Amino acid sequence: MSKTLTEIIENCKELAFDLYFTKAGEWKAQDDKRVLVGYMPIYFPREIVHAANGLAVGIIGTGDRKQIIKGDAYYQSYICHIPRGIIEMVLDGHLDSFDGFVFPSICDVIRNLSGMYQLLGKGTFIKYLDFPQNFQSNIGGVFYKKEMQHILDKIYKINKVEVTPERLNHSIQLYNKNRQLIEHIYDIRQEFPWRISTENLYQLIRAGMVIPVEEHNEMLEDVYTHIQEDIGEPMDNIRVVVSGAFCEQPPIGLLKTIENEGCYIVDDDFMLGSRWIEGDVEGDSDDPLNALAEAYLNKSTFSSSVYDVNDPKEKRLAEVVKKRKADGIIFAAPSFCDPALLDSPILQKSCDDNNMRYISFQYHENIGQFKVIKEQVGAFSDSIKLWEDEPVVVQ
């Protein structure tokens, strides 16, 4: 372990917010059989691209790092901000080195974004990836396998790399390791959240969306080693879970505001795709595509973008709060995010019924003013410290 924690995080910061995806482009240039496949939030089975000699790169908007001018002309004002930033990057040539793009079925906005890509003629292929709504193996599982195979067929036409079970099993094992390391880091932060800030953890995980998994695993292992040491100074902060930020990402300033105003974020859904599968995918299967399908059907996390009638998200959110020994929940959703905002009444009613304390606010990826949120979070933190045994609701 030659690098300090600060050096690792600085590298991650550069990678995570490089809107030209320089590192990915350099990786592709080293071998003419390599491909870049961009995917929109939230979850995408990156294993299949890795096995096909490709790099799956997460494209999650511009945040507050690019002025949006042309993108506003493509979308109406009453939807979330993320497609404007992504279209701005497309029009300015940020994604010209990508071979294809995958749009997971999250909401109508992402569906329409896939149509915009087609109209603009970007990439060798455009794929709108439908996730199964039926969670029976012989129905939803078969359907999902066909969807993944369709993507592999598209990549094969570009680089002629055949994905064997051995290659795909190897990729699955690498991503299993990736999720294990991320979970280990979250487990340490549950007890010692001051050892690595929410901001730095976010940068660490986001960097993993733009570099090969092998490199990211090395970073995670180094960080995991560092934070096992007794570093940092504990603050008199409460512990919270953040829910609702699974797609359009909050700006770094918002994460810092939450923590500076007295809240350690011990769990969240910011980079949810990197933690989507809870546990391991079978990594030694005769049919690894089936293993990925079964993992999605049986080991997916909860999200407003997933149909979950048999395993309601309000119950699972309460389980996370209990597991992380959190003092409360912050419902932070992007403005006009239909999935998150439509679920808010259900989730908040569950909090009321179970005497869980919470606050709720909205943001957008390039928000620059945090005064109101700062006051709200600070009041929430102080009220829990002062009246620990009383339910707290701040709207």
Side-chain angles (χ1 to χ4, degrees):
M1 188 174 60
S2 58
K3 291 186 177 180
T4 66
L5 183 58
T6 300
E7 289 172 334
I8 296 169
I9 297 303
E10 282 302 311
N11 185 28
C12 289
K13 183 177 180 180
E14 292 178 9
L15 291 168
F17 300 108
D18 176 10
L19 300 184
Y20 283 93
F21 305 98
T22 306
K23 182 74 172 180
E26 292 173 350
W27 176 88
K28 178 185 175 183
Q30 294 172 9
D31 184 344
D32 59 8
K33 285 188 174 294
R34 289 179 173 179
V35 296
L36 292 183
V37 176
Y39 67 94
M40 309 303 134
I42 310 168
Y43 167 71
F44 172 67
R46 293 178 286 176
E47 294 91 338
I48 62 174
V49 176
H50 182 275
N53 202 33
L55 178 61
V57 178
I59 302 172
I60 51 178
T62 59
D64 56 0
R65 288 166 169 77
K66 187 175 179 65
Q67 185 176 6
I68 307 304
I69 300 173
K70 298 181 284 293
D72 281 338
Y74 279 73
Y75 288 98
Q76 61 271 40
S77 60
Y78 50 85
I79 64 169
C80 63
H81 193 272
I82 190 171
R84 311 172 202 278
I86 292 177
I87 284 293
E88 193 82 16
M89 286 196 289
V90 170
L91 296 174
D92 286 349
H94 292 233
L95 308 176
D96 286 352
S97 63
F98 284 67
D99 298 282
F101 300 94
V102 177
F103 299 80
S105 53
I106 305 166
C107 63
D108 288 341
V109 170
I110 297 301
R111 181 187 296 273
N112 293 337
L113 184 59
S114 69
M116 289 295 184
Y117 270 65
Q118 290 176 323
L119 291 173
L120 293 169
K122 293 299 177 180
T124 304
F125 70 89
I126 306 293
K127 169 62 177 175
Y128 185 76
L129 175 63
D130 270 310
F131 288 116
Q133 301 299 304
N134 183 300
F135 280 63
Q136 297 179 44
S137 298
N138 63 332
I139 300 176
V142 171
F143 170 81
Y144 188 40
K145 283 178 62 178
K146 290 181 179 178
E147 286 287 276
M148 290 188 285
Q149 185 61 56
H150 188 213
I151 295 171
L152 288 174
D153 292 342
K154 295 287 188 181
I155 297 174
Y156 181 79
K157 290 180 180 179
I158 299 171
N159 66 1
K160 299 299 187 291
V161 172
E162 182 181 356
V163 175
T164 63
E166 291 75 20
R167 290 179 66 98
L168 187 47
N169 277 325
H170 176 63
S171 300
I172 287 172
Q173 291 165 10
L174 288 171
Y175 279 97
N176 281 343
K177 181 67 173 178
N178 192 263
R179 286 187 296 270
Q180 290 167 11
L181 287 166
I182 291 173
E183 194 63 20
H184 290 336
I185 292 171
Y186 269 83
D187 288 343
I188 288 181
R189 287 197 79 249
Q190 177 184 330
E191 298 298 328
F192 310 103
W194 54 86
R195 292 185 180 177
I196 180 171
S197 68
T198 297
E199 172 190 3
N200 291 344
L201 176 60
Y202 177 83
Q203 292 161 344
L204 172 66
I205 297 178
R206 182 161 174 166
M209 300 178 72
V210 299
I211 60 176
V213 64
E214 295 89 345
E215 294 182 28
H216 194 228
N217 283 351
E218 291 179 6
M219 287 181 178
L220 291 170
E221 287 177 338
D222 287 347
V223 170
Y224 178 56
T225 300
H226 278 297
I227 66 173
Q228 290 184 76
E229 300 175 3
D230 187 14
I231 58 177
E233 294 293 332
M235 304 290 289
D236 183 25
N237 288 1
I238 65 170
R239 287 165 164 78
V240 299
V241 171
V242 175
S243 178
F246 48 82
C247 185
E248 180 179 315
Q249 294 298 291
I252 288 295
L254 179 55
L255 305 185
K256 295 169 70 173
T257 296
I258 292 173
E259 199 153 76
N260 289 341
E261 292 308 307
C263 296
Y264 285 130
I265 301 175
V266 293
D267 214 315
D268 59 78
D269 56 3
F270 303 141
M271 293 280 101
L272 191 60
S274 299
R275 307 172 64 203
W276 188 271
I277 302 300
E278 297 182 330
D280 289 345
V281 180
E282 184 182 355
D284 188 21
S285 173
D286 294 333
D287 186 357
L289 270 187
N290 186 69
L292 285 168
E294 287 298 315
Y296 181 86
L297 297 179
N298 299 303
K299 296 184 177 182
S300 287
T301 187
F302 64 96
S303 169
S304 296
S305 64
V306 178
Y307 181 68
D308 62 353
V309 66
N310 294 320
D311 195 4
K313 58 184 67 68
E314 58 268 31
K315 175 180 72 70
R316 299 182 71 179
L317 178 59
E319 290 171 351
V320 171
V321 172
K322 182 178 179 181
K323 172 185 176 182
R324 297 300 183 193
K325 301 177 183 177
D327 300 295
I329 303 171
I330 294 179
F331 291 105
S335 301
F336 299 108
C337 177
D338 285 346
L341 296 176
L342 287 171
D343 269 349
S344 288
I346 299 171
L347 296 173
Q348 292 179 17
K349 182 181 184 301
S350 175
C351 289
D352 293 335
D353 293 342
N354 291 281
N355 200 30
M356 294 188 297
R357 295 161 287 197
Y358 65 91
I359 58 173
S360 176
F361 56 76
Q362 297 177 35
Y363 67 87
H364 49 85
E365 66 175 3
N366 65 343
I367 187 174
Q369 297 294 325
F370 305 106
K371 185 176 185 299
V372 173
I373 293 174
K374 176 180 178 180
E375 293 173 349
Q376 190 177 3
V377 172
F380 183 59
S381 173
D382 290 344
S383 63
I384 287 179
K385 294 173 188 175
L386 291 171
W387 296 288
E388 186 173 355
D389 296 327
E390 297 296 326
V392 178
V393 178
V394 182
Q395 295 286 9

